[in-house]
Amino acid sequence: MKFLTAAVTATCLVAAAPVMAQEARPNIVVILADDVGFSDLGAYGSEISTPNIDALAARGALFSNFHASPVCAPSRAMLLTGMTSHLAGVGNLPETLPPQHQGAPGYLGRLADDVVTVAALLQKAGYRTAVTGKWHLGHTPSALPPSHGFDRSFVLDASGADNWEQRSYLPIYSDAPWFEDGEAASLPEDFYSSQFIVDKAIDYIEEGEGASTPFFAYLAFQAVHIPVQAPREFVEKYEGVYAEGWEVLRRARFENVVARGLMPESMELGPMPDGLRAWEALSDRERALFAKSMAVNAGMLEAMDHHIGRFIEHLKKRGDFENTVFFVLSDNGPEPNAPTDIPGFAQWLWWEGYSRDLDTLGEKGTYAFIGPEFASAAASPGAFFKLYAGEGGIRAPFIVAGAGIPAAGHVGDFSFITDIAPTILDLANVEQVTEFDGRAVKPMTGRSLMPLLAGVTPHYGPEDSVGLEAAGNAALFRGNYKLVRNMPPYGDGAWYLYDIAIDPGEARNLAAERPALFAKMRAEYDRFASDAGVLEIPEGYEQMAQLSKKWMEENGWYIAAVLLALLYLLAAAGFGVKRLIRRS
């Protein structure tokens, strides 16, 4: 068995990355969407209009068996370093770490000192490098982009933020921490996240006008992370589209994915996770609010695609498009959280001036989310969603297109987010390293996709194992098989075994039927966890509950102040406490 937490790719390892012949090297653009589900893009069978991304898919390769972490920060660490997330120092969201994991090597909340980013290697090799958008890998001087190979950067170092203005979207943050080139920065008055991320990327590329060196641009969008927000002109076309609810959408997405040949015709669409509501069980107002929220979600994704189209058009006008390779992906599955279910959150929204008004939902000053049921539909045909290791949480859309990339069409081989960094280095003719700027660095655990794109299969052999873990949700892939554990509240903490080649919906558990294989893969997972520095989660830990607990411990006074202010305002309005109690 070849165990891949310590794998060395076919690319040879050397002490420094040399500058190669510049005319042979393409520009590299990485476009990372946030919380976009497997079937959310038009090219994957979605009802959402994404023509610019679809056009890239049509001229390159569309992957149907690509996987990432179930949460964002670990995925971003793996994307940039080609390393398993714990080895890269980011094994979980820093905001949800249990106290027992604080300071452990795999849970630093920033990139470890013994890894190097693909941006740093490209920069050393003569590339101009820039990043715009969500960073979420730490905001100390040594953690921000300038210390990791980026010449220019304008980034958000938080799990998310408002898309219309510079303010927090969760009470765990006092503000929205944006940084330009490592220094605290302010946003313009006309800010909208997708537009701004593209505008800044264009500005940074233009600074190299006339330069003969190629560029590496990393555009990390906030779409479609909570809060779901979009300009009215993008939302209006989806009004009424989701009125039939999540069960109908989930089935339609499943049928479209199968019809496109992205999943086997024989697969079964498994049930939604236990505890989710039936559409018909909702009140008319609740159905209207969720349908509108999903329309805003669709509009936000189409707005992102629109601004990607502006970026592509700019490259065409510069004459750069034909010599550019695009990587388009999502960091994980769709977001299931419904923040207003958290005690005190509705009061925080009121205190902060956020509205959930149906007519204006998605516009500036409003706050929307799609909830776990529509998240399950967006992840269709996968099981579960973001935070969980079911296919709905970790199987993500992924497209590669451009200079030197064959028009491979559909690629069904298993691939992993750690494979992107070594692929970029191959395209740029830059070698991997074991030493960088006088310090030893670990070899990448991913492997280049270039042989696979050239038709050499399989990408990972039947004896290769690839593991992942985040907050106790874990998986190990080996050949066609997947070992998986999903933790509460939507999982049960037990291990399951699936043949995802024929059952990507994870509907038939093979653990009892294949006990020897199950035991072998459990042992392989344990070795992966030991080698990668994975720590078992404490008894009773739940990721989102830990987030709420941490905030309440640090900011319980805030809730008390909000409630006291609310009672004061009610009293001032003649709405006495006794009357309030009677009405409740």
Side-chain angles (χ1 to χ4, degrees):
M1 180 194 70
K2 292 170 280 183
F3 196 66
L4 296 175
T5 51
V8 178
T9 68
T11 307
C12 66
L13 301 175
V14 296
V19 178
M20 310 303 291
Q22 292 179 4
E23 63 272 16
R25 299 182 298 170
N27 304 307
I28 308 290
V29 174
V30 174
I31 295 172
L32 182 64
D34 202 333
D35 297 351
V36 170
F38 177 80
S39 57
D40 267 340
L41 302 176
Y44 284 80
S46 175
E47 73 290 343
I48 302 171
S49 177
T50 54
N52 296 294
I53 295 174
D54 297 350
L56 291 175
R59 66 191 290 259
L62 182 150
F63 288 69
S64 64
N65 197 4
F66 171 80
H67 293 76
S69 167
V71 286
C72 54
S75 283
R76 290 159 200 273
M78 291 193 283
L79 171 66
L80 287 174
T81 66
M83 297 292 301
T84 300
S85 59
H86 299 77
L87 295 178
V90 190
N92 193 353
L93 293 178
E95 294 86 351
T96 63
L97 279 185
Q100 298 91 326
H101 293 182
Q102 296 282 350
Y107 301 89
L108 302 174
R110 59 168 177 82
L111 297 179
D113 295 333
D114 58 354
V115 299
V116 61
T117 68
V118 65
L121 292 171
L122 292 175
Q123 184 187 56
K124 182 78 75 172
Y127 270 72
R128 294 175 287 129
T129 57
V131 54
T132 58
K134 179 174 162 181
W135 179 246
H136 203 198
L137 293 172
H139 54 258
T140 61
S142 62
L144 284 166
S147 296
H148 292 285
F150 287 99
D151 300 320
R152 300 303 315 273
S153 58
F154 203 118
V155 298
L156 168 72
D157 188 61
S159 59
D162 194 284
N163 294 281
W164 289 108
E165 50 193 325
Q166 191 162 1
R167 64 166 164 168
S168 167
Y169 84 110
L170 287 179
I172 62 169
Y173 303 113
S174 59
D175 61 3
W178 286 88
F179 298 86
E180 184 167 28
D181 299 332
E183 301 293 332
S186 299
L187 299 177
E189 287 295 320
D190 61 350
F191 174 79
Y192 178 68
S193 62
S194 293
Q195 177 177 335
F196 180 79
I197 287 165
V198 165
D199 286 347
K200 292 304 292 186
I202 289 173
D203 288 347
Y204 293 155
I205 290 172
E206 283 300 307
E207 290 175 355
E209 185 72 35
S212 59
T213 54
F215 62 80
F216 170 65
Y218 172 31
L219 284 70
F221 288 89
Q222 290 175 236
V224 286
H225 195 284
I226 291 176
V228 179
Q229 298 166 317
R232 179 181 287 268
E233 60 267 27
F234 289 102
V235 175
E236 286 177 334
K237 66 185 291 185
Y238 297 102
E239 296 271 10
V241 170
Y242 301 103
E244 293 183 284
W246 36 69
E247 294 102 334
V248 171
L249 178 64
R250 187 167 184 260
R251 171 62 60 173
R253 293 278 192 93
F254 162 64
E255 292 173 353
N256 289 344
V257 165
V258 171
R260 288 172 177 259
L262 303 180
M263 295 287 173
E265 292 183 4
S266 59
M267 78 164 286
E268 178 183 345
L269 179 63
M272 295 170 72
D274 291 340
L276 300 190
R277 296 161 293 183
W279 182 251
E280 295 306 317
L282 272 60
S283 67
D284 289 345
R285 171 166 173 75
E286 288 173 323
R287 285 196 293 267
L289 182 59
F290 276 109
K292 179 62 177 285
S293 298
M294 193 63 182
V296 176
N297 182 81
M300 190 177 186
L301 186 55
E302 183 176 338
M304 182 191 80
D305 181 84
H306 166 77
H307 292 293
I308 290 171
R310 289 198 304 113
F311 182 77
I312 290 172
E313 187 60 31
H314 180 77
L315 295 185
K316 288 180 177 178
K317 289 180 179 178
R318 280 177 53 92
D320 286 329
F321 178 74
E322 294 300 328
N323 192 40
T324 299
V325 179
F326 295 86
F327 294 81
V328 183
L329 68 151
S330 179
D331 58 350
N332 44 243
E335 170 69 72
N337 282 313
T340 52
D341 289 348
I342 301 170
F345 194 87
Q347 289 79 12
W348 180 81
L349 287 179
W350 169 81
W351 184 265
E352 293 293 320
Y354 274 117
S355 166
R356 288 185 41 78
D357 176 70
L358 189 64
D359 292 337
T360 61
L361 200 63
E363 298 175 33
K364 189 174 183 178
T366 67
Y367 197 106
F369 51 86
I370 65 173
E373 294 87 1
F374 266 130
S376 182
S380 182
F384 294 90
F385 25 58
K386 177 184 175 178
L387 307 176
Y388 296 88
E391 290 295 279
I394 62 176
R395 189 181 291 229
F398 177 45
I399 292 162
V400 186
I405 302 298
H410 171 218
V411 177
D413 279 52
F414 172 83
S415 55
F416 197 49
I417 194 168
T418 53
D419 298 336
I420 293 176
T423 306
I424 290 172
L425 295 182
D426 267 5
L427 285 164
N429 200 17
V430 173
E431 294 173 318
Q432 293 189 40
V433 300
T434 54
E435 181 183 331
F436 189 81
D437 283 352
R439 57 188 170 92
V441 296
K442 292 190 287 272
M444 292 181 176
T445 59
R447 53 177 62 173
S448 174
L449 294 164
M450 292 307 294
L452 176 61
L453 290 168
V456 178
T457 61
H459 181 54
Y460 287 95
E463 299 300 313
D464 293 332
S465 293
V466 177
L468 65 88
E469 188 274 346
N473 299 287
L476 184 112
F477 297 89
R478 187 178 190 272
N480 292 338
Y481 294 95
K482 177 189 177 184
L483 180 77
V484 62
R485 178 181 67 187
N486 292 297
M487 303 303 292
Y490 291 111
D492 59 9
W495 289 97
Y496 292 78
L497 177 66
Y498 299 104
D499 181 345
I500 60 169
I502 60 174
D503 181 26
E506 296 173 309
R508 182 185 174 193
N509 180 20
L510 301 176
E513 187 178 325
R514 301 287 303 275
L517 178 62
F518 179 78
K520 183 175 184 177
M521 292 183 68
R522 278 288 291 111
E524 289 179 6
Y525 175 81
D526 288 344
R527 283 194 292 275
F528 155 76
S530 176
D531 290 352
V534 176
L535 300 179
E536 277 298 307
I537 57 171
E539 185 73 25
Y541 168 87
E542 289 184 17
Q543 190 170 17
M544 290 299 102
Q546 177 66 28
L547 183 69
S548 300
K549 179 182 177 183
K550 179 181 177 182
W551 179 71
M552 287 296 290
E553 289 174 348
E554 296 176 353
N555 301 281
W557 61 270
Y558 186 92
I559 286 289
V562 171
L563 291 176
L564 287 172
L566 178 60
L567 289 172
Y568 174 81
L569 292 173
L570 289 170
F575 199 95
V577 175
K578 289 183 179 179
R579 184 180 173 196
L580 176 65
I581 293 171
R582 284 198 302 270
R583 289 187 55 129
S584 64

